[in-house]
Amino acid sequence: MKQLIIISFLALSLLACNNTKDTNTQDNKKEFFLPPATTYNYAEIDSVKLFYREAGNKSNPTIVLLHGYPSSSHSYRNLIPMLATHYHVIAPDNLGSGYSTHLDPNTTDYSFNLLADYTEKLINKLQVKNYVMYMQDFGAPVGYRMMMKNPKRIEALIVQNANAYLDGLTPNRQAFFRTAQTDTTKEKHDFLYSITSEDAIINKQYLFDLDSTNRNMQSPDAWTHDLAFLTSKKDREIQVQLFKDYNTNLLSYPKWQKMLKENQPKTLIVWGKKDLKFNYKGAEAYLKDLPNAELHLLDAGHFAAEEKTSEIAKLILEFLAKHKIE
């Protein structure tokens, strides 16, 4: 009997030790950061297919990322998973860019009105009612055209080297856009075509405003991806047509500024201050109409989201949480 009691006591002691070990194991278990997967999708709209990247829970507020020249949604490949932990993120490729349909420029007149119309149709097809809009470069003329139709649809603006003021353009840059529209000579066309070349994309776009201290932050994947969609004459002519149409944006600046002033959207400005094409004065100019906007000038160039991805993501998450867009 005494032996049986001892055996029972030992068994209970071992069980207790095992339970303690299991508890300690659970207490010490590490939690890992795992962002939602990004999906790669097509939506058929009219006669074309628009490509878009998507990530995050659809029940969360939506952030729409609008890309610039000469890029596509690929430019947000690193930013998307950082935002998708808290938000539903959509990043489309413009019509004629990236994986979206490239309609023949000989039969289609490419303009920013056309890009905005198709992007808006995509957002409507995805049944997104209201959203936060992130704009960079070409993203501004696309985004502001959409916003002009229904300003209240935009819950907040995130402006990243996305110009809406002449202050951000030097006189020479203004002349470049003006003559791209008004000068119809073959010489002007050939010049515009030349700046869609491989050398121009790499050295006049991506590396143009970077110095030796931050060049290694610019992934060659960015321009390699862009150039894959600029291999044919027709692909390059699409971008030439958009250059020729760009002056319509400068002419629209007063209307956009009036809209911003009247509606006072919640606005975060994150601007690469080393940008020589859309300089930092264009960022500061927003404060004339949006005095409550939050402005951050970053130690980066035109493609700040490539160089300062984590910093921009943190600023966005903090800004949206502060304004209770969550």
Side-chain angles (χ1 to χ4, degrees):
M1 183 67 177
K2 185 177 180 181
Q3 187 177 10
L4 180 61
I5 292 172
I6 292 173
I7 292 172
S8 298
F9 176 77
L10 289 172
L12 289 171
S13 298
L14 288 170
L15 181 61
C17 287
N18 286 336
N19 287 340
T20 302
K21 184 178 179 181
D22 289 344
T23 302
N24 289 338
T25 300
Q26 288 179 344
D27 290 343
N28 295 330
K29 186 178 180 181
K30 293 182 179 179
E31 293 185 5
F32 296 99
F33 173 77
L34 297 172
T38 299
T39 61
Y40 307 89
N41 316 277
Y42 286 94
E44 191 163 342
I45 297 172
D46 299 334
S47 60
V48 307
K49 288 185 176 180
L50 292 186
F51 175 84
Y52 64 98
R53 298 165 196 252
E54 185 175 24
N57 190 328
K58 292 183 180 181
S59 65
N60 290 334
T62 298
I63 302 175
V64 176
L65 306 175
L66 302 178
H67 69 81
Y69 168 83
S71 48
S72 66
S73 60
H74 178 263
S75 60
Y76 298 122
R77 65 200 176 282
N78 297 322
L79 184 61
I80 291 170
M82 296 182 186
L83 301 178
T85 55
H86 295 80
Y87 295 92
H88 172 225
V89 183
I90 296 170
D93 286 358
N94 285 337
L95 179 71
S97 294
Y99 294 112
S100 289
T101 299
H102 291 218
L103 293 173
D104 189 340
N106 292 318
T107 56
T108 298
D109 292 328
Y110 278 84
S111 68
F112 288 95
N113 283 338
L114 183 70
L115 302 190
D117 286 346
Y118 271 102
T119 303
E120 185 172 43
K121 287 178 181 179
L122 171 65
I123 293 170
N124 291 340
K125 184 158 188 171
L126 297 178
Q127 299 182 334
V128 174
K129 293 182 180 179
N130 299 310
Y131 54 94
V132 175
M133 186 161 65
Y134 182 115
M135 304 175 294
Q136 190 261 345
D137 190 75
F138 274 14
V142 171
Y144 283 131
R145 279 170 170 78
M146 293 162 56
M147 191 175 179
M148 285 289 291
K149 293 182 180 180
N150 188 357
K152 298 302 181 184
R153 192 177 186 183
I154 307 303
E155 293 187 294
L157 285 179
I158 303 166
V159 179
Q160 189 252 295
N161 299 76
N163 214 36
Y165 294 84
L166 290 178
D167 309 58
L169 301 170
T170 64
N172 285 342
R173 194 71 177 157
Q174 293 178 41
F176 166 79
F177 288 128
R178 184 173 59 253
T179 58
Q181 182 183 41
T182 59
D183 187 343
T184 59
T185 64
K186 183 178 183 301
E187 289 75 17
K188 187 66 173 182
H189 175 276
D190 290 347
F191 169 72
L192 295 174
Y193 187 83
S194 73
I195 61 177
T196 66
S197 68
E198 179 177 349
D199 178 69
I201 297 301
I202 296 173
N203 295 302
K204 299 299 184 183
Q205 285 293 124
Y206 279 100
L207 301 181
F208 184 66
D209 46 22
L210 303 187
D211 54 36
S212 58
T213 62
N214 58 356
R215 280 202 171 198
N216 65 347
M217 297 302 294
Q218 183 60 270
S219 170
D221 293 345
W223 61 74
T224 300
H225 185 276
D226 292 353
L227 288 168
F229 296 101
L230 288 171
T231 55
S232 74
K233 184 176 185 299
K234 288 182 179 180
D235 291 333
R236 294 172 66 177
E237 287 290 351
I238 290 171
Q239 303 305 322
V240 169
Q241 287 190 10
L242 290 171
F243 283 147
K244 290 181 177 181
D245 190 59
Y246 200 92
N247 193 51
T248 63
N249 303 322
L250 276 61
L251 298 175
S252 297
Y253 283 177
K255 292 188 295 184
W256 299 350
Q257 294 160 15
K258 182 174 183 289
M259 173 191 63
L260 293 173
K261 187 172 185 177
E262 290 176 350
N263 289 277
Q264 292 298 305
K266 302 176 182 69
T267 303
L268 170 66
I269 306 166
V270 285
W271 201 284
K273 65 183 178 182
K274 293 181 178 179
D275 189 346
L276 299 175
K277 296 180 183 296
F278 292 163
N279 67 65
Y280 71 93
K281 292 181 182 179
E284 295 174 337
Y286 274 93
L287 300 180
K288 293 184 292 187
D289 296 313
L290 299 172
N292 297 319
E294 184 176 318
L295 170 62
H296 298 269
L297 296 177
L298 308 178
D299 185 24
H302 187 66
F303 296 96
E306 292 275 0
E307 299 175 64
K308 300 289 183 180
T309 316
S310 298
E311 187 174 339
I312 288 175
K314 185 172 184 290
L315 289 169
I316 292 171
L317 294 173
E318 290 175 345
F319 174 81
L320 295 180
K322 181 174 69 175
H323 288 284
K324 301 189 184 307
I325 302 173
E326 50 189 357

